[in-house]
Amino acid sequence: MQPPALQRVALGPLTLPESLRRPQLVMRLGERLEVYEQRRWIQPLDAEIADALAERLGRRLAAPVATLRQAAAAGATRRIALDVRRFESTPAMASLDVLWSIADGLGKRLADGRTEARQPCADGGEAALIAAHGANLDRLAAELAQALATLPAE
C-alpha cells in the first residue's frame, strides 16, 4: 500500500446549505438564524472551509493538499468531495455534519463516509466559536486521513 503522503490529494467540490452561502456570519439562536451583517468571513465560507481543511489534512498526511481552485489539483490521484450538511454556530456550540467521498483521479469512487462533530465554545465569544469550528475540522481531517490510509495503491 502506498503511504498517504505519496498520494496527490485534492479537496472539492465542497457544497454548503443555502443558508450559509453568504459572506456574513450566521448564528443559530433558538429556532431562528441570525445573520450578523458586520461580521464576515475572509472569503466565501465554502472556500474558507476547504482551505482550512486542506491545511489540516496536509499536516496529517505530511504532504500538501490542494483545493479545486488551485492548479495543483489537476494532477490529483485522490479527490475528496464534501457535502457540508451542517456548519452551525450557536453561542455555546459549533456543529459539523459532512458527507464525504474519495475518488481516484479518474473519478472512480473508492470510499464514502460521514463525519459529525460538535465542539463546545469555551466562553461563547467569537474567538472560542472559531476555535471550536477548527476542532471540528481537525476531526474531519483525521477521519479523511484514516480513510486515505486504508485505500489500495493507485
Side-chain angles (χ1 to χ4, degrees):
M1 175 162 71
Q2 185 177 20
L6 299 178
Q7 298 175 10
R8 295 178 59 184
V9 177
L11 288 178
L14 184 146
T15 62
L16 287 174
E18 190 65 37
S19 63
L20 296 175
R21 293 183 194 159
R22 60 183 66 242
Q24 302 91 348
L25 178 68
V26 178
M27 181 88 65
R28 181 172 291 284
L29 300 173
E31 294 299 315
R32 66 183 174 85
L33 295 178
E34 181 77 25
V35 177
Y36 291 91
E37 293 295 334
Q38 301 305 316
R39 295 183 180 134
R40 296 174 180 260
W41 297 104
I42 293 172
Q43 58 184 335
L45 186 55
D46 57 346
E48 189 73 28
I49 292 170
D51 288 349
L53 183 57
E55 179 184 333
R56 286 166 165 80
L57 183 57
R59 282 196 306 255
R60 291 187 177 274
L61 300 177
V65 173
T67 65
L68 288 187
R69 299 180 333 276
Q70 299 169 319
T77 58
R78 298 289 188 250
R79 296 187 178 274
I80 303 172
L82 302 130
D83 180 17
V84 178
R85 298 164 46 117
R86 176 173 284 189
F87 187 87
E88 190 169 274
S89 304
T90 71
M93 185 80 59
S95 301
L96 178 70
D97 182 1
V98 179
L99 297 175
W100 51 264
S101 64
I102 301 172
D104 67 14
L106 300 174
K108 178 183 174 193
R109 188 171 268 173
L110 304 172
D112 295 292
R114 181 177 185 178
T115 299
E116 295 178 273
R118 291 172 48 98
Q119 185 70 29
C121 296
D123 62 12
E126 285 180 43
L129 178 63
I130 299 303
H133 278 302
N136 288 341
L137 291 176
D138 284 336
R139 179 169 170 188
L140 175 57
E143 291 184 17
L144 291 171
Q146 182 178 9
L148 286 164
T150 64
L151 296 177
E154 293 117 57

mmCIF file of all heavy atoms in Angstrom, residues 9-46:
data_model
loop_
_atom_site.group_PDB
_atom_site.id
_atom_site.type_symbol
_atom_site.label_atom_id
_atom_site.label_comp_id
_atom_site.label_asym_id
_atom_site.label_seq_id
_atom_site.Cartn_x
_atom_site.Cartn_y
_atom_site.Cartn_z
ATOM 1 N N VAL A 9 -3.497 14.645 -3.261
ATOM 2 C CA VAL A 9 -4.875 14.780 -2.803
ATOM 3 C C VAL A 9 -5.398 16.177 -3.127
ATOM 4 O O VAL A 9 -4.700 17.174 -2.942
ATOM 5 C CB VAL A 9 -4.967 14.515 -1.286
ATOM 6 C CG1 VAL A 9 -6.388 14.713 -0.785
ATOM 7 C CG2 VAL A 9 -4.461 13.115 -0.955
ATOM 8 N N ALA A 10 -6.639 16.215 -3.595
ATOM 9 C CA ALA A 10 -7.333 17.484 -3.832
ATOM 10 C C ALA A 10 -8.702 17.444 -3.166
ATOM 11 O O ALA A 10 -9.378 16.420 -3.192
ATOM 12 C CB ALA A 10 -7.485 17.745 -5.324
ATOM 13 N N LEU A 11 -9.081 18.561 -2.565
ATOM 14 C CA LEU A 11 -10.397 18.705 -1.945
ATOM 15 C C LEU A 11 -11.341 19.435 -2.884
ATOM 16 O O LEU A 11 -10.985 20.466 -3.450
ATOM 17 C CB LEU A 11 -10.296 19.530 -0.662
ATOM 18 C CG LEU A 11 -9.644 18.903 0.548
ATOM 19 C CD1 LEU A 11 -9.618 19.907 1.683
ATOM 20 C CD2 LEU A 11 -10.372 17.654 0.972
ATOM 21 N N GLY A 12 -12.523 18.883 -3.033
ATOM 22 C CA GLY A 12 -13.559 19.568 -3.793
ATOM 23 C C GLY A 12 -14.189 18.643 -4.810
ATOM 24 O O GLY A 12 -13.589 17.641 -5.162
ATOM 25 N N PRO A 13 -15.397 18.948 -5.169
ATOM 26 C CA PRO A 13 -16.154 20.124 -4.769
ATOM 27 C C PRO A 13 -16.623 20.042 -3.319
ATOM 28 O O PRO A 13 -16.681 18.963 -2.740
ATOM 29 C CB PRO A 13 -17.344 20.118 -5.727
ATOM 30 C CG PRO A 13 -17.526 18.685 -6.083
ATOM 31 C CD PRO A 13 -16.146 18.088 -6.078
ATOM 32 N N LEU A 14 -16.957 21.207 -2.774
ATOM 33 C CA LEU A 14 -17.489 21.319 -1.427
ATOM 34 C C LEU A 14 -18.789 22.117 -1.534
ATOM 35 O O LEU A 14 -18.787 23.217 -2.072
ATOM 36 C CB LEU A 14 -16.482 22.045 -0.522
ATOM 37 C CG LEU A 14 -16.861 22.156 0.946
ATOM 38 C CD1 LEU A 14 -15.607 22.087 1.800
ATOM 39 C CD2 LEU A 14 -17.635 23.415 1.250
ATOM 40 N N THR A 15 -19.873 21.525 -1.071
ATOM 41 C CA THR A 15 -21.164 22.202 -1.116
ATOM 42 C C THR A 15 -21.607 22.592 0.291
ATOM 43 O O THR A 15 -21.244 21.932 1.266
ATOM 44 C CB THR A 15 -22.256 21.332 -1.771
ATOM 45 O OG1 THR A 15 -22.438 20.153 -0.978
ATOM 46 C CG2 THR A 15 -21.872 20.940 -3.188
ATOM 47 N N LEU A 16 -22.386 23.653 0.363
ATOM 48 C CA LEU A 16 -22.909 24.177 1.624
ATOM 49 C C LEU A 16 -24.419 24.321 1.556
ATOM 50 O O LEU A 16 -24.966 24.531 0.465
ATOM 51 C CB LEU A 16 -22.357 25.581 1.890
ATOM 52 C CG LEU A 16 -20.920 25.744 2.299
ATOM 53 C CD1 LEU A 16 -20.573 27.229 2.370
ATOM 54 C CD2 LEU A 16 -20.654 25.079 3.624
ATOM 55 N N PRO A 17 -25.102 24.282 2.704
ATOM 56 C CA PRO A 17 -26.527 24.617 2.710
ATOM 57 C C PRO A 17 -26.723 26.059 2.226
ATOM 58 O O PRO A 17 -25.870 26.921 2.438
ATOM 59 C CB PRO A 17 -26.925 24.485 4.182
ATOM 60 C CG PRO A 17 -25.871 23.652 4.809
ATOM 61 C CD PRO A 17 -24.612 23.899 4.027
ATOM 62 N N GLU A 18 -27.833 26.309 1.582
ATOM 63 C CA GLU A 18 -28.124 27.638 1.037
ATOM 64 C C GLU A 18 -28.030 28.729 2.103
ATOM 65 O O GLU A 18 -27.562 29.835 1.824
ATOM 66 C CB GLU A 18 -29.523 27.639 0.408
ATOM 67 C CG GLU A 18 -29.841 28.872 -0.376
ATOM 68 C CD GLU A 18 -28.956 29.046 -1.608
ATOM 69 O OE1 GLU A 18 -28.623 28.049 -2.263
ATOM 70 O OE2 GLU A 18 -28.609 30.200 -1.906
ATOM 71 N N SER A 19 -28.435 28.427 3.314
ATOM 72 C CA SER A 19 -28.428 29.443 4.381
ATOM 73 C C SER A 19 -27.025 29.935 4.716
ATOM 74 O O SER A 19 -26.870 31.011 5.312
ATOM 75 C CB SER A 19 -29.099 28.893 5.642
ATOM 76 O OG SER A 19 -28.372 27.780 6.136
ATOM 77 N N LEU A 20 -25.989 29.185 4.342
ATOM 78 C CA LEU A 20 -24.615 29.577 4.657
ATOM 79 C C LEU A 20 -23.867 30.179 3.472
ATOM 80 O O LEU A 20 -22.707 30.551 3.599
ATOM 81 C CB LEU A 20 -23.840 28.363 5.180
ATOM 82 C CG LEU A 20 -24.340 27.788 6.495
ATOM 83 C CD1 LEU A 20 -23.579 26.523 6.851
ATOM 84 C CD2 LEU A 20 -24.232 28.813 7.605
ATOM 85 N N ARG A 21 -24.522 30.262 2.339
ATOM 86 C CA ARG A 21 -23.869 30.825 1.145
ATOM 87 C C ARG A 21 -23.981 32.341 1.154
ATOM 88 O O ARG A 21 -24.660 32.938 0.328
ATOM 89 C CB ARG A 21 -24.493 30.247 -0.119
ATOM 90 C CG ARG A 21 -24.218 28.780 -0.266
ATOM 91 C CD ARG A 21 -24.773 28.250 -1.550
ATOM 92 N NE ARG A 21 -24.791 26.801 -1.498
ATOM 93 C CZ ARG A 21 -25.543 26.059 -2.248
ATOM 94 N NH1 ARG A 21 -26.337 26.615 -3.142
ATOM 95 N NH2 ARG A 21 -25.507 24.758 -2.139
ATOM 96 N N ARG A 22 -23.293 32.940 2.096
ATOM 97 C CA ARG A 22 -23.311 34.389 2.270
ATOM 98 C C ARG A 22 -22.011 34.785 2.968
ATOM 99 O O ARG A 22 -21.412 33.969 3.652
ATOM 100 C CB ARG A 22 -24.525 34.831 3.069
ATOM 101 C CG ARG A 22 -24.578 34.226 4.453
ATOM 102 C CD ARG A 22 -25.817 34.589 5.271
ATOM 103 N NE ARG A 22 -27.010 34.041 4.695
ATOM 104 C CZ ARG A 22 -28.028 34.776 4.244
ATOM 105 N NH1 ARG A 22 -28.002 36.070 4.334
ATOM 106 N NH2 ARG A 22 -29.090 34.209 3.729
ATOM 107 N N PRO A 23 -21.576 36.024 2.829
ATOM 108 C CA PRO A 23 -20.321 36.430 3.463
ATOM 109 C C PRO A 23 -20.444 36.662 4.966
ATOM 110 O O PRO A 23 -19.452 36.616 5.684
ATOM 111 C CB PRO A 23 -19.968 37.739 2.738
ATOM 112 C CG PRO A 23 -21.260 38.250 2.206
ATOM 113 C CD PRO A 23 -22.108 37.040 1.923
ATOM 114 N N GLN A 24 -21.660 36.878 5.458
ATOM 115 C CA GLN A 24 -21.853 37.194 6.861
ATOM 116 C C GLN A 24 -21.842 35.922 7.728
ATOM 117 O O GLN A 24 -22.220 34.845 7.281
ATOM 118 C CB GLN A 24 -23.189 37.906 7.085
ATOM 119 C CG GLN A 24 -23.361 39.179 6.327
ATOM 120 C CD GLN A 24 -24.006 38.958 4.964
ATOM 121 O OE1 GLN A 24 -24.144 37.839 4.482
ATOM 122 N NE2 GLN A 24 -24.388 40.044 4.323
ATOM 123 N N LEU A 25 -21.449 36.119 8.975
ATOM 124 C CA LEU A 25 -21.539 35.052 9.969
ATOM 125 C C LEU A 25 -23.013 34.804 10.255
ATOM 126 O O LEU A 25 -23.797 35.752 10.409
ATOM 127 C CB LEU A 25 -20.818 35.470 11.252
ATOM 128 C CG LEU A 25 -20.847 34.499 12.413
ATOM 129 C CD1 LEU A 25 -20.024 33.256 12.079
ATOM 130 C CD2 LEU A 25 -20.300 35.165 13.663
ATOM 131 N N VAL A 26 -23.402 33.524 10.296
ATOM 132 C CA VAL A 26 -24.782 33.143 10.604
ATOM 133 C C VAL A 26 -24.770 32.366 11.916
ATOM 134 O O VAL A 26 -24.008 31.401 12.071
ATOM 135 C CB VAL A 26 -25.391 32.273 9.477
ATOM 136 C CG1 VAL A 26 -26.807 31.842 9.834
ATOM 137 C CG2 VAL A 26 -25.375 33.024 8.156
ATOM 138 N N MET A 27 -25.606 32.786 12.857
ATOM 139 C CA MET A 27 -25.658 32.154 14.167
ATOM 140 C C MET A 27 -27.072 31.650 14.416
ATOM 141 O O MET A 27 -28.040 32.348 14.132
ATOM 142 C CB MET A 27 -25.270 33.182 15.232
ATOM 143 C CG MET A 27 -25.263 32.674 16.645
ATOM 144 S SD MET A 27 -23.706 31.941 17.172
ATOM 145 C CE MET A 27 -22.598 33.317 17.125
ATOM 146 N N ARG A 28 -27.173 30.417 14.933
ATOM 147 C CA ARG A 28 -28.481 29.889 15.324
ATOM 148 C C ARG A 28 -28.755 30.336 16.752
ATOM 149 O O ARG A 28 -27.979 30.079 17.657
ATOM 150 C CB ARG A 28 -28.518 28.369 15.231
ATOM 151 C CG ARG A 28 -29.891 27.807 15.628
ATOM 152 C CD ARG A 28 -30.032 26.333 15.370
ATOM 153 N NE ARG A 28 -30.077 26.022 13.956
ATOM 154 C CZ ARG A 28 -31.109 26.211 13.150
ATOM 155 N NH1 ARG A 28 -32.214 26.770 13.600
ATOM 156 N NH2 ARG A 28 -31.058 25.860 11.880
ATOM 157 N N LEU A 29 -29.881 31.018 16.910
ATOM 158 C CA LEU A 29 -30.336 31.459 18.222
ATOM 159 C C LEU A 29 -31.714 30.857 18.439
ATOM 160 O O LEU A 29 -32.705 31.363 17.906
ATOM 161 C CB LEU A 29 -30.389 32.994 18.301
ATOM 162 C CG LEU A 29 -29.053 33.718 18.068
ATOM 163 C CD1 LEU A 29 -29.265 35.221 17.989
ATOM 164 C CD2 LEU A 29 -28.063 33.352 19.150
ATOM 165 N N GLY A 30 -31.755 29.762 19.179
ATOM 166 C CA GLY A 30 -33.010 29.046 19.364
ATOM 167 C C GLY A 30 -33.448 28.429 18.050
ATOM 168 O O GLY A 30 -32.705 27.693 17.422
ATOM 169 N N GLU A 31 -34.646 28.785 17.602
ATOM 170 C CA GLU A 31 -35.194 28.238 16.362
ATOM 171 C C GLU A 31 -34.979 29.142 15.149
ATOM 172 O O GLU A 31 -35.437 28.836 14.066
ATOM 173 C CB GLU A 31 -36.695 27.952 16.538
ATOM 174 C CG GLU A 31 -36.985 26.856 17.538
ATOM 175 C CD GLU A 31 -36.367 25.526 17.135
ATOM 176 O OE1 GLU A 31 -36.471 25.134 15.965
ATOM 177 O OE2 GLU A 31 -35.754 24.879 18.010
ATOM 178 N N ARG A 32 -34.288 30.257 15.329
ATOM 179 C CA ARG A 32 -34.104 31.163 14.203
ATOM 180 C C ARG A 32 -32.616 31.345 13.891
ATOM 181 O O ARG A 32 -31.751 31.111 14.729
ATOM 182 C CB ARG A 32 -34.769 32.505 14.467
ATOM 183 C CG ARG A 32 -34.171 33.295 15.582
ATOM 184 C CD ARG A 32 -34.944 34.599 15.831
ATOM 185 N NE ARG A 32 -34.436 35.287 16.993
ATOM 186 C CZ ARG A 32 -33.407 36.114 16.977
ATOM 187 N NH1 ARG A 32 -32.780 36.361 15.861
ATOM 188 N NH2 ARG A 32 -33.001 36.693 18.084
ATOM 189 N N LEU A 33 -32.347 31.762 12.662
ATOM 190 C CA LEU A 33 -30.994 32.074 12.229
ATOM 191 C C LEU A 33 -30.810 33.582 12.244
ATOM 192 O O LEU A 33 -31.630 34.321 11.714
ATOM 193 C CB LEU A 33 -30.738 31.545 10.819
ATOM 194 C CG LEU A 33 -30.765 30.032 10.654
ATOM 195 C CD1 LEU A 33 -30.552 29.663 9.193
ATOM 196 C CD2 LEU A 33 -29.727 29.370 11.539
ATOM 197 N N GLU A 34 -29.751 34.033 12.849
ATOM 198 C CA GLU A 34 -29.412 35.450 12.902
ATOM 199 C C GLU A 34 -28.220 35.695 11.983
ATOM 200 O O GLU A 34 -27.193 35.014 12.087
ATOM 201 C CB GLU A 34 -29.057 35.846 14.339
ATOM 202 C CG GLU A 34 -28.703 37.287 14.539
ATOM 203 C CD GLU A 34 -29.930 38.187 14.561
ATOM 204 O OE1 GLU A 34 -31.034 37.707 14.886
ATOM 205 O OE2 GLU A 34 -29.770 39.369 14.259
ATOM 206 N N VAL A 35 -28.356 36.636 11.070
ATOM 207 C CA VAL A 35 -27.274 36.996 10.159
ATOM 208 C C VAL A 35 -26.609 38.254 10.716
ATOM 209 O O VAL A 35 -27.259 39.273 10.907
ATOM 210 C CB VAL A 35 -27.810 37.249 8.730
ATOM 211 C CG1 VAL A 35 -26.691 37.686 7.810
ATOM 212 C CG2 VAL A 35 -28.507 36.006 8.198
ATOM 213 N N TYR A 36 -25.308 38.154 10.992
ATOM 214 C CA TYR A 36 -24.554 39.282 11.532
ATOM 215 C C TYR A 36 -23.927 40.055 10.376
ATOM 216 O O TYR A 36 -22.890 39.663 9.838
ATOM 217 C CB TYR A 36 -23.480 38.785 12.510
ATOM 218 C CG TYR A 36 -24.075 38.237 13.777
ATOM 219 C CD1 TYR A 36 -24.399 36.895 13.896
ATOM 220 C CD2 TYR A 36 -24.340 39.078 14.858
ATOM 221 C CE1 TYR A 36 -24.964 36.396 15.061
ATOM 222 C CE2 TYR A 36 -24.905 38.591 16.024
ATOM 223 C CZ TYR A 36 -25.212 37.247 16.110
ATOM 224 O OH TYR A 36 -25.771 36.751 17.262
ATOM 225 N N GLU A 37 -24.555 41.159 10.004
ATOM 226 C CA GLU A 37 -24.148 41.936 8.824
ATOM 227 C C GLU A 37 -22.719 42.461 8.929
ATOM 228 O O GLU A 37 -22.023 42.562 7.931
ATOM 229 C CB GLU A 37 -25.114 43.097 8.590
ATOM 230 C CG GLU A 37 -26.503 42.671 8.200
ATOM 231 C CD GLU A 37 -26.567 41.967 6.859
ATOM 232 O OE1 GLU A 37 -25.714 42.200 5.993
ATOM 233 O OE2 GLU A 37 -27.489 41.147 6.689
ATOM 234 N N GLN A 38 -22.265 42.806 10.112
ATOM 235 C CA GLN A 38 -20.936 43.410 10.274
ATOM 236 C C GLN A 38 -19.837 42.390 10.549
ATOM 237 O O GLN A 38 -18.668 42.752 10.629
ATOM 238 C CB GLN A 38 -20.967 44.447 11.401
ATOM 239 C CG GLN A 38 -21.962 45.566 11.166
ATOM 240 C CD GLN A 38 -21.748 46.275 9.837
ATOM 241 O OE1 GLN A 38 -20.631 46.582 9.455
ATOM 242 N NE2 GLN A 38 -22.834 46.523 9.107
ATOM 243 N N ARG A 39 -20.178 41.135 10.693
ATOM 244 C CA ARG A 39 -19.178 40.088 10.942
ATOM 245 C C ARG A 39 -19.137 39.178 9.722
ATOM 246 O O ARG A 39 -20.091 38.469 9.436
ATOM 247 C CB ARG A 39 -19.541 39.307 12.201
ATOM 248 C CG ARG A 39 -19.482 40.186 13.421
ATOM 249 C CD ARG A 39 -19.770 39.397 14.652
ATOM 250 N NE ARG A 39 -19.704 40.266 15.810
ATOM 251 C CZ ARG A 39 -20.601 40.275 16.772
ATOM 252 N NH1 ARG A 39 -21.616 39.457 16.716
ATOM 253 N NH2 ARG A 39 -20.470 41.090 17.787
ATOM 254 N N ARG A 40 -18.001 39.199 9.027
ATOM 255 C CA ARG A 40 -17.900 38.495 7.754
ATOM 256 C C ARG A 40 -16.719 37.543 7.739
ATOM 257 O O ARG A 40 -15.713 37.765 8.397
ATOM 258 C CB ARG A 40 -17.777 39.496 6.604
ATOM 259 C CG ARG A 40 -19.019 40.355 6.483
ATOM 260 C CD ARG A 40 -18.857 41.440 5.453
ATOM 261 N NE ARG A 40 -20.078 42.222 5.379
ATOM 262 C CZ ARG A 40 -20.999 42.057 4.447
ATOM 263 N NH1 ARG A 40 -20.845 41.178 3.488
ATOM 264 N NH2 ARG A 40 -22.091 42.789 4.454
ATOM 265 N N TRP A 41 -16.872 36.496 6.929
ATOM 266 C CA TRP A 41 -15.771 35.574 6.682
ATOM 267 C C TRP A 41 -14.763 36.275 5.783
ATOM 268 O O TRP A 41 -15.121 37.174 5.013
ATOM 269 C CB TRP A 41 -16.288 34.295 6.016
ATOM 270 C CG TRP A 41 -17.242 33.532 6.865
ATOM 271 C CD1 TRP A 41 -18.592 33.471 6.724
ATOM 272 C CD2 TRP A 41 -16.927 32.726 8.005
ATOM 273 N NE1 TRP A 41 -19.147 32.683 7.699
ATOM 274 C CE2 TRP A 41 -18.145 32.213 8.496
ATOM 275 C CE3 TRP A 41 -15.741 32.385 8.655
ATOM 276 C CZ2 TRP A 41 -18.198 31.385 9.623
ATOM 277 C CZ3 TRP A 41 -15.802 31.560 9.767
ATOM 278 C CH2 TRP A 41 -17.005 31.067 10.233
ATOM 279 N N ILE A 42 -13.528 35.847 5.819
ATOM 280 C CA ILE A 42 -12.470 36.447 4.998
ATOM 281 C C ILE A 42 -12.734 36.209 3.512
ATOM 282 O O ILE A 42 -12.449 37.048 2.677
ATOM 283 C CB ILE A 42 -11.099 35.875 5.406
ATOM 284 C CG1 ILE A 42 -10.747 36.325 6.810
ATOM 285 C CG2 ILE A 42 -10.014 36.287 4.427
ATOM 286 C CD1 ILE A 42 -9.512 35.673 7.382
ATOM 287 N N GLN A 43 -13.278 35.067 3.190
ATOM 288 C CA GLN A 43 -13.608 34.690 1.810
ATOM 289 C C GLN A 43 -14.918 33.905 1.865
ATOM 290 O O GLN A 43 -15.424 33.646 2.948
ATOM 291 C CB GLN A 43 -12.469 33.869 1.200
ATOM 292 C CG GLN A 43 -12.128 32.599 1.966
ATOM 293 C CD GLN A 43 -10.922 31.875 1.379
ATOM 294 O OE1 GLN A 43 -10.616 32.017 0.208
ATOM 295 N NE2 GLN A 43 -10.245 31.097 2.194
ATOM 296 N N PRO A 44 -15.499 33.514 0.731
ATOM 297 C CA PRO A 44 -16.727 32.713 0.800
ATOM 298 C C PRO A 44 -16.522 31.496 1.716
ATOM 299 O O PRO A 44 -15.436 30.897 1.743
ATOM 300 C CB PRO A 44 -16.958 32.293 -0.653
ATOM 301 C CG PRO A 44 -16.325 33.387 -1.446
ATOM 302 C CD PRO A 44 -15.104 33.794 -0.650
ATOM 303 N N LEU A 45 -17.548 31.165 2.472
ATOM 304 C CA LEU A 45 -17.412 30.130 3.501
ATOM 305 C C LEU A 45 -16.981 28.790 2.920
ATOM 306 O O LEU A 45 -16.184 28.085 3.537
ATOM 307 C CB LEU A 45 -18.716 29.980 4.288
ATOM 308 C CG LEU A 45 -18.667 29.037 5.485
ATOM 309 C CD1 LEU A 45 -17.556 29.407 6.464
ATOM 310 C CD2 LEU A 45 -20.015 29.013 6.188
ATOM 311 N N ASP A 46 -17.458 28.411 1.726
ATOM 312 C CA ASP A 46 -17.018 27.142 1.160
ATOM 313 C C ASP A 46 -15.516 27.150 0.901
ATOM 314 O O ASP A 46 -14.818 26.166 1.184
ATOM 315 C CB ASP A 46 -17.804 26.773 -0.104
ATOM 316 C CG ASP A 46 -17.740 27.818 -1.195
ATOM 317 O OD1 ASP A 46 -17.326 28.968 -0.940
ATOM 318 O OD2 ASP A 46 -18.123 27.475 -2.333
#
